[in-house]
Amino acid sequence: MVANNNNINNINNINNIITTNKNKLQIASEQSVINFDSVKELKADKISHCHQDLPKDWQWAKLDLFNNVNNNIEHLRLNVTICKNNQLKPARALMNTEWPHFRRNLTKEEWAAPHYELVKQTRQELKNAGYKTKEIRASKCYMPGYKNKKGSTLKELSVLLVPEKQDHRYTAIVIHKEHKIIVPLKGDKGYLSSNQRKMNQIATGTANTILKSSVGVHIDDYL
């Protein structure tokens, strides 16, 4: 009888653990919490696409990472293409700026605003997750300029980038206002064409919306 009671207690404990974990996952999903420790353990190679609850009216976001090496020095550029209301909105992020220069051209009030506080918090979370400070790159986003140069600053759109342990893998965190989107970037065999590599592209990744209300495009959105 004692053994049976012990078995029942063990089963109840296991069920409680499963229920607790399910509740934790549900809460995390509802709050869109990003656990960087989990990301680092799983790595980007176990995620083909990052399906996210994107900002309103976004269909998807595509990130293309380029490295224009000059004198053996990396010059990373991230092209961000956002599809919103069935229109493509391109942006650029230059991932070589040192962190102290990130706030350049921002007023004191803007630097203290919720968006940039979230950028600072996310950078600290990456450090806490084990990424080295020199590995963590951050940039404001810019409108495309002449000949791939940066144009006007797109305030409240920022990107953080870290390399993963596996070669040709990166993780990008796009922050739109107060919304974080994590996108694994892959550049190993099978993800980039020879033409893309000739253009110095080294990785790519896409985030898609979870919810799709209907298939097709309304004529008013097309015309």
Side-chain angles (χ1 to χ4, degrees), residues 76-79 90-98 101-105 138-154:
L76 297 181
R77 183 184 84 245
L78 192 66
N79 287 0
R92 304 283 185 270
L94 305 180
M95 309 305 301
N96 305 293
T97 304
E98 295 182 3
H101 301 304
F102 178 90
R103 65 165 295 179
R104 186 180 294 161
N105 297 327
S139 174
K140 299 187 290 292
C141 288
Y142 303 88
M143 295 177 64
Y146 180 66
K147 290 187 176 180
N148 279 330
K149 303 294 184 181
K150 67 181 183 181
S152 299
T153 302
L154 292 168

Side-chain angles (χ1 to χ4, degrees), residues 58 60 62-68 75-82 88-97 102 115-116 138-161 172-175 199 201:
W58 287 30
W60 48 263
K62 187 174 186 296
L63 278 62
D64 295 306
L65 183 63
F66 295 81
N67 184 13
N68 297 311
H75 291 277
L76 297 181
R77 183 184 84 245
L78 192 66
N79 287 0
V80 181
T81 304
I82 298 165
L88 301 184
K89 305 290 185 178
R92 304 283 185 270
L94 305 180
M95 309 305 301
N96 305 293
T97 304
F102 178 90
H115 170 82
Y116 294 105
S139 174
K140 299 187 290 292
C141 288
Y142 303 88
M143 295 177 64
Y146 180 66
K147 290 187 176 180
N148 279 330
K149 303 294 184 181
K150 67 181 183 181
S152 299
T153 302
L154 292 168
K155 295 182 178 180
E156 296 200 357
L157 182 65
S158 304
V159 181
L160 293 101
L161 180 74
I173 302 100
V174 179
I175 302 181
M199 298 296 292
Q201 186 170 348

Side-chain angles (χ1 to χ4, degrees), residues 62-183:
K62 187 174 186 296
L63 278 62
D64 295 306
L65 183 63
F66 295 81
N67 184 13
N68 297 311
V69 178
N70 188 3
N71 294 327
N72 293 323
I73 299 175
E74 284 188 332
H75 291 277
L76 297 181
R77 183 184 84 245
L78 192 66
N79 287 0
V80 181
T81 304
I82 298 165
C83 182
K84 179 181 179 181
N85 292 327
N86 303 302
Q87 294 184 346
L88 301 184
K89 305 290 185 178
R92 304 283 185 270
L94 305 180
M95 309 305 301
N96 305 293
T97 304
E98 295 182 3
W99 175 248
H101 301 304
F102 178 90
R103 65 165 295 179
R104 186 180 294 161
N105 297 327
L106 295 175
T107 66
K108 183 178 179 180
E109 291 73 19
E110 288 171 334
W111 184 238
H115 170 82
Y116 294 105
E117 286 296 324
L118 185 57
V119 172
K120 289 178 269 188
Q121 174 189 328
T122 304
R123 181 175 179 270
Q124 184 59 50
E125 289 173 353
L126 287 167
K127 291 170 67 176
N128 295 343
Y131 293 95
K132 297 178 181 178
T133 301
K134 65 180 181 180
E135 293 178 331
I136 305 171
R137 299 172 184 261
S139 174
K140 299 187 290 292
C141 288
Y142 303 88
M143 295 177 64
Y146 180 66
K147 290 187 176 180
N148 279 330
K149 303 294 184 181
K150 67 181 183 181
S152 299
T153 302
L154 292 168
K155 295 182 178 180
E156 296 200 357
L157 182 65
S158 304
V159 181
L160 293 101
L161 180 74
V162 289
E164 296 299 343
K165 289 183 178 179
Q166 185 172 346
D167 290 342
H168 313 295
R169 300 291 175 98
Y170 301 82
T171 297
I173 302 100
V174 179
I175 302 181
H176 168 260
K177 296 182 179 179
E178 297 172 58
H179 193 120
K180 289 196 286 192
I181 307 157
I182 186 166
V183 186

